[in-house]
């Protein structure tokens, strides 16, 4: 009895330590990683500028400084709340709740990276009570909730998205609260409980429109539960309560959906871009593993470029696949199997629908018609949460059964997560920065020169903004319209071409004066020179 009590105290202390570490990982080094293009668009819209108008507003065909470019990333007296709402409506596929909160945070503090990312990090802390509540509703065991909190606390995947100036940390929390509120409503069967669920549905939808898939999963769960899983003496209709609450939640979204339709918003075409199935399959494995252990920690290079479709050679050796991916797959598969065998239909069906429904909604279109939706890790957050809860239940049952091997497994999982978070937390770029991953190397090359000029195309201005956050403050910039390169002054020591449009690149290749020399091709960086001589002497 005494040893069991000591064991419980030890597990509790471990959970507290891991959650504390998770909070530290989320709030530390917020400004360090590259502010990638999606985050640039976050600041842009919050500041009241539409992406479509941005390229026209930024001065082109004349040299500007970084400060002049960054004014579009900051709040100004000229741009009011109505401008922010108008800018958000122009991309209404992104639900507005996080961005409205970010606007408030920028008004209270400033427009820095620390504020926009700091808000996401603070909102990510809501995941802890959310997952604990859901586990209590499902299992009635505080230990499962505690271990689930520990798993998400030091999950490298969740820490990465907790430090990104987007809506994903908020969305993660709303998924958990919505799922927990559903379980509570089914248990209590009161009008107030269903109203709470309706509120969580509305908040979740205003956090991310993919929440509709979570609601669909809830509906399938409730329907199957009512038909096959509930006790025979239960004479109430669970599905009718769910249906009315969900309808109420969706009604609140009507104003935003009208804006969505009126603005002609749509998800970027890049998610439907066809890629080889084996490439997509590799991404599934890498993304799944990242919720426990981030492979880039040991393979210190870009794993793959989601937008460009460039694969790294992480799967070049069979040993890497066997020793790292397969154990994680076995753990996940066994955890799901264990939950299904050891719990009632009410419990395991809830987790299965949370895992399967959102995932299949992404996977099936990719397989049938092509695309890479299911290869984008952040779109599968509901599925990953279901998996982590299943693993938490497995570990809670096994470590309390005096199974030494499972305690070792638990320590290994926690250690892998901590190591991943420590390494990625010190890095300036990581795989979740996708097409902007190489901007750090590009910036370092440019910063080595004394008086650089960086040229890009006006339509690529958002990518130039991302790069500019890591450039020296004195760096000069030039945006070119329609591929027409103006005369370049000789006062610059080096002239670089960054992510030029195809039109600009072709015109320079045909030009009689200028030529381009590759500097860092994978990062889309070239040096511009006069044919047969440097554009400007290095000594000038």
């Amino acid at each position: 009895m005494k040893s069991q009590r000591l064991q419980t105290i030890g597990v509790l202390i471990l959970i507290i330590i891991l959650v504390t570490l998770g909070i530290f990982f989320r709030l530390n080094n917020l400004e360090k990683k590259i502010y990638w293009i999606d985050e640039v668009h976050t600041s842009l819209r919050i500041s009241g500028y539409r992406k479509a108008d941005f390229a026209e507003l930024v001065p082109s065909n004349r040299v500007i400084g970084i400060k002049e470019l960054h004014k579009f990333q900051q709040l100004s007296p000229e741009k009011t709340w109505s401008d922010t709402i108008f800018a958000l409506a122009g991309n209404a596929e992104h639900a507005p709740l996080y961005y409205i909160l970010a606007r408030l945070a920028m008004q209270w503090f400033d427009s820095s990276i620390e504020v926009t990312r700091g808000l996401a990090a603070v909102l990510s802390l809501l995941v802890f009570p959310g997952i604990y509540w859901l586990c209590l509703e499902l299992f009635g065991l505080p230990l499962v909730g505690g271990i689930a909190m520990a798993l998400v606390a030091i999950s490298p995947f969740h820490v990465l998205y907790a430090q990104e100036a987007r809506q994903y940390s908020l969305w993660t929390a709303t998924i958990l609260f919505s799922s927990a509120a559903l379980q509570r409503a089914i248990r209590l069967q009161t009008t107030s409980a269903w109203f709470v669920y309706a509120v969580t549905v509305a908040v979740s939808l205003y956090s991310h429109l993919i929440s509709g898939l979570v609601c669909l999963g809830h509906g399938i769960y409730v329907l199957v539960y009512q038909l096959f899983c509930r006790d025979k003496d239960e004479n109430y209709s669970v599905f009718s309560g769910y249906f009315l609450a969900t309808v109420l939640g969706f009604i609140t979204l009507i104003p935003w959906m009208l804006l969505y339709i009126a603005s002609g918003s749509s998800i970027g075409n890049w998610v439907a871009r066809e890629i080889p199935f084996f490439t997509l399959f590799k991404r599934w494995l890498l993304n799944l593993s990242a919720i426990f252990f981030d492979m880039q920690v040991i393979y210190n290079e870009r794993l793959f470029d989601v937008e460009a479709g460039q694969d790294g050679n992480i799967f070049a050796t069979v040993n890497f696949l066997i020793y790292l991916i397969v154990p994680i797959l076995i753990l996940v598969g066994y955890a799901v199997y264990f939950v299904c065998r050891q719990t009632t239909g009410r419990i395991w069906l809830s987790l299965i629908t949370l895992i399967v429904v959102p995932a299949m909604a992404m996977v099936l279109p990719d397989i049938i018609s092509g695309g890479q939706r299911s290869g984008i890790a952040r779109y599968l957050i509901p599925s990953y949460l279901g998996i982590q809860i299943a693993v938490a239940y497995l570990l809670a049952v096994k470590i309390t059964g005096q199974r030494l091997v499972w305690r070792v497994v638990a320590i290994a999982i926690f250690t892998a997560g901590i190591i991943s978070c420590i390494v990625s937390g010190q890095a300036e770029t990581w795989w979740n920065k996708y097409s902007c991953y190489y901007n750090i190397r590009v910036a370092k090359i440019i910063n080595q020169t004394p008086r650089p000029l960086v040229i890009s195309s006006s339509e690529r201005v958002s990518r130039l903004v991302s790069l500019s956050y890591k450039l020296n403050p004195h760096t000069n910039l030039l945006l070119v319209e329609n591929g027409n390169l103006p005369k370049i002054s000789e006062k610059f020591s080096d002239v670089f071409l960054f992510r030029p449009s195809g039109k600009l690149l072709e015109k320079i290749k045909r030009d009689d004066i200028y030529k381009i020399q590759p500097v860092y091709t994978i990062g889309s960086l070239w040096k511009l020179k006069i044919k047969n001589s440097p554009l400007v002497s290095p000594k000038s």
Side-chain angles (χ1 to χ4, degrees):
M1 189 63 141
K2 186 177 180 181
S3 63
Q4 187 175 3
R5 185 179 178 185
L6 289 174
Q7 178 186 340
T8 302
I9 294 174
V11 172
L12 178 60
I13 293 173
L14 177 62
I15 290 171
I16 293 172
I17 292 173
L18 292 173
V19 172
T20 303
L21 281 174
I23 295 172
F24 172 77
F25 290 144
R26 283 161 171 76
L27 301 177
N28 187 47
N29 286 337
L30 284 169
E31 79 296 341
K32 192 159 188 175
K33 286 187 177 63
I34 190 75
Y35 204 63
W36 79 295
I37 187 170
D38 277 17
E39 295 176 296
V40 167
H41 290 156
T42 292
S43 294
L44 184 72
R45 290 163 188 155
I46 294 170
S47 301
Y49 298 97
R50 296 204 321 164
K51 177 184 173 183
D53 301 332
F54 184 35
E56 298 177 7
L57 292 171
V58 178
S60 58
N61 296 323
R62 71 174 176 86
V63 176
I64 61 174
I66 290 177
K67 283 187 178 180
E68 192 169 359
L69 191 62
H70 282 190
K71 74 177 184 179
F72 297 97
Q73 298 276 284
Q74 302 166 352
L75 296 184
S76 64
E78 296 79 24
K79 293 293 182 178
T80 64
W81 270 96
S82 60
D83 294 301
T84 296
I85 298 299
F86 182 70
L88 292 173
N91 295 86
E93 72 275 12
H94 293 287
L97 183 55
Y98 164 79
Y99 301 93
I100 291 172
L101 295 174
R103 166 90 191 199
L104 288 171
M106 288 169 71
Q107 286 185 180
W108 291 337
F109 301 101
D110 56 45
S111 301
S112 66
I113 291 176
E114 289 89 340
V115 171
T116 54
R117 284 181 173 169
L119 173 65
V122 171
L123 290 173
S124 75
L125 303 183
L126 295 173
V127 169
F128 301 142
I131 201 165
Y132 185 81
W133 181 23
L134 177 55
C135 288
L136 277 186
E137 289 290 345
L138 287 174
F139 305 102
L141 299 173
L143 181 59
V144 179
I147 293 177
M149 287 173 61
L151 285 175
V152 298
I154 47 84
S155 166
F157 173 85
H158 290 297
V159 171
L160 284 174
Y161 281 101
Q163 290 195 323
E164 185 161 301
R166 300 291 272 183
Q167 65 268 44
Y168 300 107
S169 62
L170 173 63
W171 183 42
T172 303
T174 63
I175 293 167
L176 293 167
F177 279 105
S178 178
S179 300
L182 175 64
Q183 293 297 324
R184 177 176 177 269
I186 292 174
R187 175 170 55 83
L188 298 179
Q189 277 300 307
T190 62
T191 301
S192 61
W194 284 114
F195 179 76
V196 169
Y197 174 66
V199 171
T200 63
V201 168
V203 173
S204 189
L205 288 169
Y206 269 93
S207 300
H208 204 304
L209 296 183
I210 297 180
S211 294
L213 297 178
V214 179
C215 293
L216 174 62
H218 288 171
I220 294 173
Y221 163 70
V222 170
L223 184 61
V224 176
Y225 171 81
Q226 179 164 307
L227 293 176
F228 303 106
C229 300
R230 68 174 182 165
D231 296 335
K232 293 181 180 180
D233 59 348
E234 295 177 356
N235 57 6
Y236 54 80
S237 174
V238 177
F239 188 79
S240 62
Y242 157 81
F243 181 77
L244 292 174
T246 303
V247 168
L248 181 60
F250 270 85
I251 285 174
T252 65
L253 192 65
I254 289 177
W256 193 252
M257 293 310 299
L258 291 176
L259 280 175
Y260 181 93
I261 295 169
S263 65
S265 296
S266 62
I267 298 175
N269 293 329
W270 63 273
V271 299
R273 189 179 301 154
E274 270 196 72
I275 60 173
F277 176 76
F278 186 60
T279 298
L280 185 64
F281 180 72
K282 288 189 290 186
R283 292 178 188 170
W284 293 345
L285 297 181
L286 289 166
N287 293 339
L288 176 61
S289 69
I291 65 177
F292 299 108
F293 178 66
D294 199 321
M295 297 300 170
Q296 190 172 321
V297 169
I298 58 174
Y299 186 83
N300 193 23
E301 183 51 81
R302 179 56 209 250
L303 300 183
F304 47 76
D305 191 325
V306 171
E307 292 186 2
Q310 297 171 344
D311 278 308
N313 59 1
I314 191 169
F315 280 83
T317 63
V318 177
N319 287 339
F320 190 86
L321 174 63
I322 292 175
Y323 293 128
L324 292 175
I325 299 287
V326 171
I328 292 174
L329 291 177
I330 293 173
L331 173 69
V332 169
Y334 182 66
V336 173
Y337 167 80
F338 188 79
V339 169
C340 292
R341 287 297 302 270
Q342 298 295 322
T343 64
T344 64
R346 180 186 70 84
I347 297 172
W348 66 259
L349 184 61
S350 175
L351 290 182
I352 291 299
T353 51
L354 183 62
I355 295 169
V356 172
V357 174
M360 287 299 101
M362 300 290 174
V363 170
L364 292 179
D366 286 348
I367 294 175
I368 295 170
S369 59
Q372 54 182 342
R373 305 163 192 83
S374 59
I376 312 303
R378 58 188 182 270
Y379 293 168
L380 296 178
I381 287 176
S383 302
Y384 297 151
L385 290 172
I387 288 170
Q388 287 175 299
I389 291 173
V391 172
Y393 176 74
L394 171 68
L395 294 179
V397 172
K398 295 295 186 180
I399 64 175
T400 54
Q402 304 295 326
R403 302 283 184 87
L404 177 61
V405 64
W406 283 103
R407 294 178 190 174
V408 172
V409 169
I411 294 299
I413 294 171
F414 294 140
T415 302
I418 292 171
I419 292 173
S420 299
C421 292
I422 290 173
V423 176
S424 67
Q426 299 302 314
E428 291 186 281
T429 189
W430 210 252
W431 61 264
N432 65 315
K433 302 309 177 186
Y434 293 117
S435 60
C436 294
Y437 178 89
Y438 299 105
N439 283 4
I440 291 297
R441 292 190 185 181
V442 170
K444 287 179 179 178
I445 293 170
I446 296 171
N447 289 340
Q448 290 173 355
T449 61
R451 295 183 306 282
L453 172 68
V454 181
I455 301 174
S456 190
S457 304
S458 290
E459 57 265 42
R460 304 289 175 84
V461 61
S462 297
R463 299 191 179 278
L464 184 61
V465 175
S466 172
L467 177 69
S468 69
Y469 278 101
K470 291 297 182 179
L471 293 175
N472 290 332
H474 67 268
T475 305
N476 289 286
L477 311 171
L478 174 63
L479 287 163
V480 176
E481 277 188 320
N482 301 318
N484 298 318
L485 189 67
K487 184 178 179 180
I488 309 298
S489 169
E490 295 186 357
K491 69 178 181 179
F492 304 108
S493 63
D494 298 85
V495 178
F496 295 95
L497 200 61
F498 174 68
R499 287 192 175 271
S501 65
K503 183 185 292 186
L504 176 57
L505 210 55
E506 283 302 313
K507 283 193 175 184
I508 294 175
K509 288 178 180 178
R510 296 196 305 266
D511 195 281
D512 294 330
I513 301 175
Y514 301 126
K515 68 176 181 178
I516 54 174
Q517 173 185 318
V519 177
Y520 186 46
T521 306
I522 198 169
S524 299
L525 185 69
W526 290 266
K527 185 171 284 190
L528 191 66
K529 293 185 174 184
I530 293 178
K531 289 185 176 179
N532 301 320
S533 68
L535 183 63
V536 182
S537 170
K539 297 181 180 179
S540 62

